[in-house]
């Protein structure tokens, strides 16, 4: 990755530029895909018409094209049954031109998400949600696992920032706030694999501010706007804000709607005065997720060549 992802914020903390980092990952993926000898294939399955999901799926298709992948999108009506969806996933499992399968979540009510995700062949599970991949990550077999994209992207930013700040991940105190299967837990496994001393905090943690203040590396994956305040942060800490929260903003849009804006789980302005480096929201961890999805698809295609 390029080393120019850390920039001055004009305050104490450096800003970690996820857009530059993600462009660098995508560039490398496109280059490596070009010399693989086979076109990596990504299938994205969307059930229903959830507007946010439509936006995500569109950007995933765009990124796949930009990397020179074979990219297919399956748009299924909201009335699709679980059996029909599972049948499609099985056909994609058997399709040699497809190396990565992504079923966009959330699925409509009435479809058992776990059952569908379990149907995805582990070697095509580019979201890293299948228990086989979860188990490989948990047992430290990271090289064989497909790792969930958001924590994998956050980990790249952590490694790059740690290097830039001349720090050591080994022995560092890492505190992750949030224990979801998608972000918090895999993030903890990745940091543990790099020999950090890891604490996972959650809604039942006692005295969260003082737990957070222990962290050399503080990862926020909560989903609560600006919950983590400046005085929860150890001076000089590396802060990774995974949260994406939409809150009301001043004024009206051109069409007369109330304006909104995106904020993270960390109060950015306060954190900038204390932290050593921090990912902003938007423009931090967010852009890394799609880049890592492409990197996972490339890995799955490469693994398929040797199987
Ligand atoms: P979940 O809702 O699945 O998990 C949230 C976690 O935060 C839970 O473990 C919960 O604890 C914990 N939590 C909630 N309230 C508190 C509190 N007051 N104090 C301490 N811990 C608390 O969320 P996700 O992990 O899926 O997502 C987290 C954030 O990351 C969201 O803002 C989401 O939008 C964002 N996100 C961003 C992505 C990206 O950048 N592309 C991708 C995925 C997520 P408990 O388990 O005890 O309930």
């Amino acid at each position: 990755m390029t080393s120019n992802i850390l920039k001055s914020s004009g305050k104490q903390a450096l800003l970690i530029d996820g857009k530059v980092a993600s462009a660098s990952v995508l560039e490398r993926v496109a280059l490596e895909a070009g010399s693989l000898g086979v076109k990596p294939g990504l299938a994205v399955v969307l059930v229903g018409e959830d507007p946010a999901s439509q936006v995500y799926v569109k950007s995933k298709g765009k990124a796949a094209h930009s990397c020179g992948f074979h990219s297919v999108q399956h748009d299924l009506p909201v009335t699709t049954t679980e059996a029909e969806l599972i049948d499609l996933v099985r056909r994609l499992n058997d399709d040699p031109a497809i190396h990565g399968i992504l079923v966009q979540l959330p699925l409509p009510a009435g479809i058992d998400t776990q059952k569908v995700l379990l149907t995805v062949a582990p070697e095509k599970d580019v979201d890293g949600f299948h228990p086989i991949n979860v188990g490989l990550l948990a047992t430290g077999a990271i090289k064989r696992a497909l790792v969930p994209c958001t924590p994998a992207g956050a980990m790249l930013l952590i490694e790059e920032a740690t290097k830039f700040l001349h720090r050591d991940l080994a022995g560092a105190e890492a505190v992750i706030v949030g224990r979801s299967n998608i972000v918090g837990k895999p993030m903890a496994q990745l940091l543990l694999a790099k020999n950090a001393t890891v604490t996972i905090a959650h809604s039942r943690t006692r005295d969260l501010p003082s737990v957070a203040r222990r962290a050399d590396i503080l990862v926020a994956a909560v989903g609560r706007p600006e919950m983590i305040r400046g005085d929860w942060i150890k001076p000089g800490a590396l802060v990774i804000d995974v949260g994406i929260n939409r809150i009301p903003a001043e004024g009206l849009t051109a069409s007369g709607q109330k304006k909104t804006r995106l904020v993270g789980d960390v109060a950015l302005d306060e954190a900038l005065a204390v932290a050593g480096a921090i990912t902003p929201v938007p423009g931090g961890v967010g852009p890394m997720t799609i880049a890592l999805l492409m990197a996972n698809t490339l890995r799955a295609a490469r693994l398929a060549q040797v199987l």
Side-chain angles (χ1 to χ4, degrees), residues 51-255:
S53 293
Q54 284 174 329
V55 172
Y56 291 141
V57 163
K58 202 170 153 199
S59 12
K60 286 166 187 173
K62 221 169 117 190
H65 279 295
S66 82
C67 290
F69 289 3
H70 166 56
S71 162
V72 288
Q73 184 176 327
H74 293 268
D75 292 319
L76 305 181
V78 73
T79 50
T80 303
T81 64
E82 188 178 287
E84 285 166 338
L85 178 56
I86 286 180
D87 183 54
L88 170 62
V89 171
R90 289 203 174 116
R91 276 184 279 125
L92 294 169
N93 283 344
D94 292 339
D95 183 346
I98 296 299
H99 305 101
I101 302 168
L102 184 145
V103 181
Q104 184 65 44
L105 302 181
L107 290 171
I111 296 185
D112 182 340
T113 301
Q114 279 315 313
K115 208 165 156 189
V116 174
L117 295 182
L118 270 173
T119 311
V120 176
E123 65 277 12
K124 296 192 178 189
D125 167 40
V126 283
D127 255 340
F129 295 163
H130 193 287
I132 294 271
N133 284 313
V134 175
L136 286 170
L137 176 60
T139 51
I142 294 184
K143 290 210 168 92
R144 284 166 50 215
L146 287 165
V147 177
C149 304
T150 301
M155 193 64 211
L156 280 185
L157 298 180
I158 291 172
E159 289 187 289
E160 201 66 23
T162 305
K163 227 187 301 162
F164 186 89
L165 298 169
H166 303 292
R167 295 188 189 163
D168 206 349
L169 262 174
E173 285 279 348
V175 174
I176 299 147
V177 191
R179 57 173 161 181
S180 71
N181 292 333
I182 294 174
V183 188
K185 285 182 196 152
M187 189 75 249
Q189 301 289 2
L190 290 169
L191 283 159
L192 197 56
K194 292 289 174 186
N195 299 315
T197 302
V198 178
T199 302
I200 306 182
H202 46 77
S203 67
R204 309 290 287 272
T205 296
R206 289 199 197 113
D207 194 3
L208 185 56
S210 69
V211 173
R213 266 193 296 271
R214 293 207 306 254
D216 301 311
I217 299 166
L218 180 62
V219 181
V222 187
R224 292 187 180 260
E226 301 178 323
M227 182 184 87
I228 293 180
R229 314 306 309 188
D231 63 358
W232 296 26
I233 296 170
K234 180 176 175 178
L238 170 56
V239 180
I240 303 293
D241 191 353
V242 182
I244 301 178
N245 309 288
R246 193 166 282 285
I247 61 166
E250 295 276 305
L252 299 175
T253 64
S255 57

